[in-house]
Amino acid sequence: MTSTIPTVPLRTLVQTDRTLRRLLTITLVDTLGRGAFFTLTTLYLTLIVGLEPVTVGIGLTIAGAVGVASSLVFGHLSDRFSARTMLVVLHIVQGTALIGYLFVRDLPTIVVVASLVLLAQQGGGSVRSSVVGRAFRGEDRVRIRATMRTVTNIGIGVGTTVAAVPLALGTPFAFHLTMTVAGSLFLASAVLVAGLDPARVDVAVAEPASDAPAPAGRSPYRDPRFLWLTALMGVFGIQFGVFEIGVPLWVVSHTIAADVVVSPLLLVNTIVVVLLQVRMSRGTGTFAGAGRAMTRAGWLMVAACALWAGAGWVGGDGWGPATLVIVVLLAAAVMHSLAEIMSSAAGWSLSFDLAPQERMGSYQGVYGTGYAVGAMIAPAVVTLTAIDLGTGGWAILAAMFAGASAGVVVIARRAAREADAASIR
């Protein structure tokens, strides 16, 4: 299996590695479509189709459960079948299902269409992770995931900007056209996926003898350390829901800041990730480096929770309090974004290095399930803590993130000691 050399500068790697260039192009095309589409989804279903918000919420929640299951299933399948072929099929399913939103009229059709979209999206995420794990080695895998995250934020940012056009026009035709184009981008991306080198991205498994025992310790379900990593990173991953759901609700309902401040805060997150994800992921490609990054992520999230809560304490009229609350919110957004960067890099490193190469897909599927479950429960966790309890709720979230990061650090340090001992022997 081809691997890259960790000392090659990233820019050189992009210029010389055809597989990497194609993966980044696929990521950009996908996220352009995703950014445009998911900005419009809820508003389209409520404003254009005329469905009740509760109906939309129920449908998307059911679909979210399908996404959790598909993350697990497709990770396993990518260890048995061609990852490239599965990605092609999943892109076609997702593109077709996105266009299928135009035919949604009630709860059953929401469930069917949204489930197909999330099945393809979450399942494709697990397969892509296994592809990166197979095609590259060492710290290159973390650097490449960081670069893909940067490209993802750029694509979603541009796609979200494009979605402003149908939102401004407000006509069914504008919504329909944009959503059709977004779905078509996934169909076009399927062609790009088909051009990936199977020798790099597909698993090569030798056929075992019929009476040969299964390799010990090769199932992620029999790997307590990896299961703990998955659970802890899933808990820490609730921070995505805090920023996407909790922060807008907190700013609007619990601070004196103008509602319009929400948009710049989300923009700060995008900018920080785009500018710093690759740079701050350096040095996290080892167990020790991942542990250090996760330690910083934990402290940064505690600081971010304190600042988010502190913004709710700022009161009064005039420019002084209004300026102060914006400064506090911006500081919280930066801290939160840095925590996202560091935790993501640490998680990528550990999820790759703790997984056996021949079961990369299964392990990445399990790891992705942790994040999917975290995303599914995040709205409830965030509203029941920060939004309902205020400062006390933010304290609970801070303790939760600190505990999760501490657990991941313990796993990383023990893995580092085992690796050092093995190298001495």
Side-chain angles (χ1 to χ4, degrees), residues 154-210:
I154 293 172
I156 289 178
V158 174
T160 301
T161 302
V162 171
V165 176
L167 289 175
L169 296 175
T171 63
F173 176 77
F175 274 84
H176 291 164
L177 178 60
T178 306
M179 294 167 74
T180 301
V181 171
S184 299
L185 285 174
F186 282 90
L187 299 179
S189 194
V191 178
L192 296 173
V193 173
L196 289 170
D197 181 4
R200 292 285 297 276
V201 303
D202 287 344
V203 67
V205 181
E207 289 294 331
S210 58

Side-chain angles (χ1 to χ4, degrees), residues 68-85:
V68 171
S70 70
S71 176
L72 192 64
V73 170
F74 280 95
H76 284 278
L77 291 177
S78 69
D79 284 335
R80 294 166 173 77
F81 305 101
S82 166
R84 182 185 62 161
T85 300

Side-chain angles (χ1 to χ4, degrees), residues 1 17 33 58 75 90 118 169 172 252 259 270 275 282 285 318 349 372 406:
M1 187 179 297
D17 194 312
I58 292 171
L90 289 171
L118 288 177
L169 296 175
V252 171
D259 295 356
T270 299
L275 294 180
R282 294 171 185 166
S349 177

Side-chain angles (χ1 to χ4, degrees), residues 144-404:
I144 288 162
R145 282 300 301 267
T147 305
M148 291 174 72
R149 169 66 66 81
T150 300
V151 172
T152 294
N153 277 268
I154 293 172
I156 289 178
V158 174
T160 301
T161 302
V162 171
V165 176
L167 289 175
L169 296 175
T171 63
F173 176 77
F175 274 84
H176 291 164
L177 178 60
T178 306
M179 294 167 74
T180 301
V181 171
S184 299
L185 285 174
F186 282 90
L187 299 179
S189 194
V191 178
L192 296 173
V193 173
L196 289 170
D197 181 4
R200 292 285 297 276
V201 303
D202 287 344
V203 67
V205 181
E207 289 294 331
S210 58
D211 58 347
R218 291 303 186 185
S219 169
Y221 305 109
R222 297 181 180 179
D223 190 338
R225 178 173 61 180
F226 196 85
L227 292 177
W228 273 111
L229 173 69
T230 296
L232 292 168
M233 290 304 300
V235 170
F236 202 92
I238 292 175
Q239 58 88 11
F240 289 104
V242 171
F243 213 125
E244 295 168 2
I245 300 167
V247 168
L249 291 174
W250 179 255
V251 171
V252 171
S253 304
H254 295 273
T255 76
I256 63 171
D259 295 356
V260 72
V261 172
V262 171
S263 182
L265 292 177
L266 298 176
L267 183 60
V268 165
N269 177 256
T270 299
I271 292 173
V272 170
V273 173
V274 168
L275 294 180
L276 298 179
Q277 181 70 76
V278 174
R279 182 182 299 274
M280 294 187 67
S281 296
R282 294 171 185 166
T284 61
T286 64
F287 291 129
R292 288 191 295 271
M294 203 63 206
T295 299
R296 298 187 190 108
W299 285 113
L300 285 165
M301 272 310 301
V302 170
C305 287
L307 288 167
W308 291 127
W313 285 81
V314 178
D317 299 320
W319 285 102
T323 302
L324 177 59
V325 72
I326 290 174
V327 170
V328 173
L329 289 171
L330 288 174
V334 171
M335 292 291 184
H336 197 136
S337 301
L338 294 176
E340 174 188 331
I341 289 172
M342 300 304 294
S343 63
S344 296
W348 296 329
S349 177
L350 293 171
S351 69
F352 285 135
D353 290 342
L354 292 177
Q357 195 67 21
E358 67 274 14
R359 296 296 300 274
M360 186 62 69
S362 298
Y363 272 72
Q364 292 305 312
V366 169
Y367 183 74
T369 302
Y371 272 104
V373 171
M376 189 171 64
I377 66 173
V381 171
V382 172
T383 53
L384 290 173
T385 54
I387 306 306
D388 287 351
L389 302 178
T391 300
W394 284 110
I396 292 172
L397 287 175
M400 180 185 75
F401 292 129

